[in-house]
Amino acid sequence: LQVQKTWMYLENIFIGSEDIRKQLPQESIMFDSVNAVFIAKMRIMADTVNVLKATTTPGMLDAFTEMDAKLEKIQKGLENYLEKKR
């Protein structure tokens, strides 16, 4: 749920704002990568009828752990940028 919550917050910022994308190019590239993996994993889960099978698919935990780490880095980069703008 943490990955989904952070992804939803950052999606509104990085998908909806070209200004932020220009100011934070590395974070934008990293978000695009996370976004693609997140959407792919959500499709796999939606297509799998059994929730236990969906959540225990090989590599699923590792993918979400990696996405969480990247989303934290992106969020810290965004926070640093916003702090500098003040």
Side-chain angles (χ1 to χ4, degrees):
L1 285 175
Q2 182 62 37
V3 171
Q4 182 180 18
K5 179 181 169 186
T6 308
W7 174 82
M8 286 175 59
Y9 169 73
L10 293 173
E11 180 193 31
N12 288 326
I13 295 167
F14 284 96
I15 300 297
S17 175
E18 281 301 314
D19 180 51
I20 294 290
R21 292 185 70 79
K22 288 178 185 174
Q23 299 298 322
L24 301 170
Q26 289 180 315
E27 286 83 354
S28 295
I29 291 168
M30 200 180 317
F31 180 79
D32 290 343
S33 168
V34 170
N35 189 45
V37 172
F38 183 79
I39 290 171
K41 295 300 181 186
M42 289 294 104
R43 283 194 178 121
I44 290 169
M45 287 190 176
D47 291 344
T48 306
V49 179
N50 184 311
V51 71
L52 188 57
K53 285 183 181 179
T55 56
T56 58
T57 301
M60 192 67 75
L61 179 60
D62 292 336
F64 274 84
T65 301
E66 186 177 327
M67 283 189 285
D68 187 44
K70 286 181 180 180
L71 288 169
E72 282 184 30
K73 287 181 184 178
I74 295 165
Q75 194 163 13
K76 285 180 184 176
L78 176 63
E79 288 170 2
N80 289 339
Y81 167 72
L82 294 174
E83 189 65 33
K84 287 178 186 176
K85 280 192 88 169
R86 287 186 201 180

